[in-house]
Amino acid sequence: QQGVAAELDFRKIVDLVGDKLREVLKTDEIGIRWLDHDERVTRYLYEYEHGVRLEIAPTQYDDAGWERISTRREPRIVNTLAEAINVAILPGTDMAKSSLSVQIVGTDRVLGAIVVESYEREYAFGASDIRLLTTVASSMGVALENARLFDETQRLLKETEQRAAELAVINSIQQGMAAKLEFQSIVDLAGDKLRDVLGTDDIGIRWFDYTTRLVHYLYDFEHGVRLTIPPAPPAKSSWEALTSRREPTVRNTQAEVAAGGVVPGTDTAKSVVSVPIIGSDRVIGGITIESFEREHAYGESEVRLLTTVASSMGVALENARLFAETQRLYSESEQRAAELSVINSVQHGMAAKLDFQAIVDLVGDKLREVFATGDMSIRWYDEKANLVHYLYAYEHGVRLTVPASTPTPGGLGETLMRTRQPLVLNTAADYSRMPGGVVPGTDMSQSMIGVPIVSGDRFLGNITIENYERENAFGEADVRLLTTIAASLGNALENARLFAETQRLYKESEQRAAELAVINSVQQGLAAELDFNAIIDLVGDKIAEIFGSKDMSVALYDPQSNVTTMPYYLEHGERFPIAPFQMGKGLTSHVIQTRRPLVINKDFMRRGVELGAGFIGDESAGNVGKSYVGVPILKGDEARGVVALYGVEEEAFDDAPGHMLATLANTMGVALENARLFDETQRRARE
């Protein structure tokens, strides 16, 4: 009792009593057993047989067996081997010839029993042994009850201290998380704190993306080294365990860990605990800690701490996600507003212009300003000619003049034309794989974005922006802005084209009206004349007046004599007589022989020599013209002469002079034929 009174440690009390009884009773066959009322088992705290201490597994009871063993309070003595046959023998032990069992009784229930046995003789125990063991058991019951209460108090105190420590950890983590609204910062803070508190270098915090069905390894340490692990599908068994039960999962052995799945590239731990992070109404991730040193490394306290931290993380991360989403939407709204401002300014500028190239330049300049780039182009596709024209091209801030070229099959322009969708090349490798990717004379960029310019169902061209400094330079916002501007540009350019076409037709109409007025005036004059020479003079003077020309000629051809005369020749405003010449080579002969107009706007001397022209003017004095237009005077399908204009500059004539000259030449041909018929009639009348 003195020894028991000095002890408050449960196991020590049991060992002290057992050792003392073995000494007093001079026996090596003794057992002290404990009834676990919660589990309904007998635990063998102190067992000796033949002087050897035994380790015996607990005995489980059914309801009847438990009722029998937990309610009997009287000592039980077995005096003979025959009586011992009715007593249950513990597995791995021998049958005693006699035994004595005395119950250890606490305040309100049987706590256990002290058992002594004899393997040498029957009737080994008497009344004195019963009295001694009963007294010891009684004292032991009080002591063990006190020790149990002391242990319970100590356990509760430790739990309270542990809970207080856990609460301090949780509070510090929660305070840190409450001060942060950035997703990864919250994860890092919780991870660092858990590594510190749990004294571990093997921890992971993972996030599950329900859209991609991938696990993201936000915070992973193994053997004290932070790992970078690419997103991957979850290990089926471990993830299903977390998401279906929404409870912590503890794997106590290396075999259990391996069965649950191991992240590729990492080692297999000996024990693992994982707890789910729950946000809103679903599992959004998990916290995992591992031990590579021992199995059964984690208990209730670690699970409880991780569960509480995971719960707080779920709330904090959900708040961070909502905050990030709000910021993203706000940023997108601001970005859309900025884009809309740019688009409005571009559209306003385009609305004020109807000149094709001016619209292109305006849009190009604005895009260079908005994107802060010196590397972009606006290209136009001529469907009839199948050519791409570089209307606006900049590289490294310098405007380029790039010749037109045909689209390359599978190249940028052809792809945009075929798909009518934006194309983003994120790397130089992507660029190099595209056929005809680099315009001759330019550099290869690191990344590029191209969007088609479309109006109605027609592909008009494309806008490209390039970056020579970095890959992956362009995102959704750039594509969206360029696509919207390209659509507006398509409409504006189509309007400009229609306006230019309308202006051209209007000018042609005005020109035709002017030509008609001129032709009418000439025809009125010719209608009043029946004199051959007067008709030639009238047409020559009228043409010189209409075209403001001081250099022109009217030539007549007689097919019977094969001679060409030039009754009207004007040079620098002065009339000169020209001697008749035989039909042969030269500009006039060429027009008569081909019966088609001839226009020379460049290289007049070279072209004249090629056609065998003998120039009438003084070449050394610079009197020879630099451009020429001549049209035939037709009678039926025969050419009977030529009306020609000479220009003192190159590119002096377009389609309009040729068109009017042809009309006047035809009118002149009719008038001259009428004059010839009139002369013939007059001649016959005189005969």
Side-chain angles (χ1 to χ4, degrees):
Q1 285 177 337
Q2 288 176 0
V4 166
E7 287 289 346
L8 279 173
D9 180 88
F10 193 91
R11 176 62 69 175
K12 286 184 178 180
I13 291 173
V14 171
D15 289 348
L16 183 148
V17 171
D19 292 346
K20 200 66 177 177
L21 286 174
R22 284 175 61 216
E23 177 188 340
V24 169
L25 297 174
K26 295 182 175 55
T27 181
D28 283 329
E29 331 297 339
I30 188 170
I32 300 175
R33 288 97 186 250
W34 186 257
L35 298 185
D36 186 336
H37 288 264
D38 293 330
E39 300 291 332
R40 289 194 171 189
V41 298
T42 296
R43 301 190 185 279
Y44 300 89
L45 306 182
Y46 186 97
E47 293 291 327
Y48 270 85
E49 184 179 85
H50 308 308
V52 177
R53 187 158 186 172
L54 307 179
E55 295 292 334
I56 300 175
T59 302
Q60 185 77 52
Y61 297 94
D62 57 17
D63 290 344
W66 183 254
E67 178 68 20
R68 183 179 66 255
I69 196 170
S70 64
T71 56
R72 191 182 76 239
R73 298 195 175 202
E74 299 81 15
R76 180 180 180 182
I77 190 166
V78 176
N79 287 313
T80 68
L81 195 59
E83 293 176 8
I85 293 174
N86 298 320
V87 178
I89 305 299
L90 294 178
T93 65
D94 299 332
M95 181 180 291
K97 291 183 177 180
S98 57
S99 65
L100 173 62
S101 174
V102 177
Q103 307 305 103
I104 303 171
V105 180
T107 53
D108 60 348
R109 59 184 177 178
V110 176
L111 303 178
I114 301 173
V115 178
V116 291
E117 297 177 303
S118 174
Y119 292 92
E120 287 77 29
R121 61 192 177 93
E122 296 180 338
Y123 294 97
F125 304 106
S128 61
D129 302 305
I130 294 173
R131 189 168 51 250
L132 173 61
L133 284 185
T134 301
T135 303
V136 171
S138 176
S139 300
M140 194 175 181
V142 174
L144 289 178
E145 189 70 4
N146 290 340
R148 186 186 66 79
L149 293 173
F150 180 76
D151 281 351
E152 182 68 12
T153 302
Q154 290 293 94
R155 185 184 64 78
L156 292 174
L157 178 62
K158 286 181 180 178
E159 281 191 4
T160 302
E161 289 179 336
Q162 190 175 38
R163 292 291 174 84
E166 290 174 8
L167 188 60
V169 170
I170 291 163
N171 284 340
S172 68
I173 292 175
Q174 287 177 333
Q175 287 174 4
M177 289 191 294
K180 294 183 181 295
L181 279 172
E182 200 272 317
F183 199 91
Q184 187 62 48
S185 296
I186 293 172
V187 172
D188 290 344
L189 183 145
D192 291 345
K193 198 70 178 178
L194 287 172
R195 285 177 62 217
D196 181 33
V197 169
L198 297 172
T200 182
D201 281 329
D202 304 288
I203 183 171
I205 301 176
R206 287 88 186 253
W207 183 262
F208 184 67
D209 186 336
Y210 279 86
T211 303
T212 61
R213 311 296 297 178
L214 294 175
V215 173
H216 294 263
Y217 297 83
L218 306 182
Y219 184 99
D220 265 83
F221 274 81
E222 184 178 83
H223 309 309
V225 177
R226 187 156 188 172
L227 308 179
T228 300
I229 303 172
K236 192 173 181 181
S237 59
S238 60
W239 178 249
E240 283 182 350
L242 277 184
T243 55
S244 61
R245 295 200 302 266
R246 298 195 177 192
E247 295 176 351
T249 300
V250 181
R251 291 181 170 82
N252 286 313
T253 67
Q254 198 165 35
E256 291 176 0
V257 173
V262 178
V263 175
T266 65
D267 299 334
T268 303
K270 291 186 176 179
S271 51
V272 172
V273 57
S274 298
V275 299
I277 301 171
I278 299 174
S280 296
D281 61 343
R282 60 183 180 178
V283 175
I284 56 178
I287 304 174
T288 297
I289 55 173
E290 300 177 294
S291 174
F292 292 92
E293 287 73 38
R294 60 192 178 94
E295 296 183 338
H296 298 277
Y298 303 111
E300 291 182 5
S301 60
E302 288 88 2
V303 172
R304 186 171 55 247
L305 174 61
L306 284 182
T307 302
T308 306
V309 171
S311 176
S312 300
M313 274 190 81
V315 174
L317 291 178
E318 191 67 7
N319 289 340
R321 186 188 67 80
L322 293 173
F323 179 76
E325 180 69 10
T326 303
Q327 290 293 92
R328 184 185 67 78
L329 293 174
Y330 177 70
S331 177
E332 281 189 5
S333 298
E334 285 191 323
Q335 190 175 42
R336 293 292 172 85
E339 290 174 10
L340 188 60
S341 174
V342 171
I343 291 163
N344 285 340
S345 68
V346 171
Q347 289 177 334
H348 181 74
M350 288 192 294
K353 293 184 181 294
L354 280 170
D355 177 79
F356 195 92
Q357 187 62 47
I359 293 172
V360 171
D361 289 344
L362 182 144
V363 172
D365 291 344
K366 195 67 179 179
L367 287 175
R368 286 175 58 224
E369 176 190 339
V370 169
F371 284 93
T373 182
D375 306 289
M376 69 159 293
S377 67
I378 300 175
R379 304 167 187 184
W380 186 257
Y381 177 61
D382 183 343
E383 187 175 2
K384 290 182 180 179
N386 192 33
L387 287 175
V388 176
H389 297 272
Y390 295 78
L391 305 182
Y392 186 98
Y394 270 82
E395 183 178 81
H396 309 311
V398 178
R399 186 153 189 174
L400 309 178
T401 300
V402 182
S405 60
T406 56
T408 303
L412 173 67
E414 192 275 335
T415 301
L416 293 175
M417 185 191 313
R418 174 168 38 83
T419 64
R420 308 290 174 94
Q421 295 295 322
L423 179 65
V424 179
L425 303 176
N426 284 316
T427 66
D430 291 342
Y431 206 144
S432 64
R433 283 192 293 267
M434 174 155 284
V438 181
V439 175
T442 67
D443 299 333
M444 179 181 288
S445 59
Q446 297 291 310
S447 50
M448 189 214 71
I449 177 175
V451 298
I453 302 170
V454 179
S455 178
D457 61 347
R458 293 177 57 235
F459 174 80
L460 304 180
N462 61 74
I463 303 174
T464 65
I465 296 182
E466 300 178 272
N467 190 296
Y468 292 90
E469 285 73 41
R470 61 191 177 94
E471 296 184 338
N472 299 292
F474 304 108
E476 290 182 7
D478 306 307
V479 173
R480 188 170 54 244
L481 176 59
L482 272 189
T483 302
T484 305
I485 289 177
S488 300
L489 181 60
N491 293 331
L493 291 179
E494 189 66 3
N495 290 340
R497 186 188 67 80
L498 293 173
F499 178 76
E501 180 69 10
T502 303
Q503 290 293 90
R504 184 185 65 77
L505 293 173
Y506 178 70
K507 286 181 180 178
E508 282 188 3
S509 298
E510 285 188 323
Q511 192 172 37
R512 291 290 199 280
E515 290 174 6
L516 187 60
V518 170
I519 291 165
N520 285 339
S521 69
V522 172
Q523 287 176 336
Q524 287 174 5
L526 291 176
E529 289 287 349
L530 284 172
D531 180 71
F532 201 86
N533 291 325
I535 290 171
I536 291 172
D537 290 344
L538 185 147
V539 172
D541 292 344
K542 200 68 177 177
I543 289 174
E545 176 190 340
I546 291 167
F547 292 105
S549 176
K550 295 182 178 181
D551 302 279
M552 66 156 293
S553 65
V554 178
L556 298 177
Y557 171 63
D558 181 1
Q560 292 181 354
S561 62
N562 199 33
V563 172
T564 300
T565 59
M566 199 166 285
Y568 193 101
Y569 179 80
L570 193 68
E571 183 177 300
H572 300 312
E574 294 187 21
R575 188 95 173 254
F576 289 98
I578 302 297
F581 53 89
Q582 288 285 323
M583 171 66 72
K585 295 183 178 180
L587 304 180
T588 302
S589 297
H590 178 80
V591 173
I592 292 171
Q593 289 166 350
T594 61
R595 291 172 298 177
R596 299 182 64 180
L598 174 64
V599 179
I600 301 174
N601 274 316
K602 283 186 177 181
D603 302 324
F604 177 66
M605 290 292 293
R606 180 181 61 78
R607 289 282 288 130
V609 170
E610 288 175 357
L611 294 171
F615 297 103
I616 299 169
D618 185 356
E619 182 180 350
S620 62
N623 293 335
V624 177
K626 294 186 178 180
S627 51
Y628 168 88
V629 58
V631 298
I633 301 170
L634 298 174
K635 177 189 175 185
D637 59 352
E638 295 182 354
R640 293 299 179 89
V642 178
V643 178
L645 294 175
Y646 305 90
V648 296
E649 300 292 339
E650 292 187 341
E651 303 289 350
F653 304 115
D654 55 18
D655 291 340
H659 179 79
M660 184 178 286
L661 275 184
T663 304
L664 291 174
N666 289 336
T667 302
M668 185 178 182
V670 173
L672 289 175
E673 183 63 14
N674 290 339
R676 188 188 67 76
L677 292 173
F678 179 75
D679 284 349
E680 182 67 19
T681 303
Q682 290 292 89
R683 184 182 61 77
R684 289 180 180 178
R686 285 195 296 272
E687 291 177 354

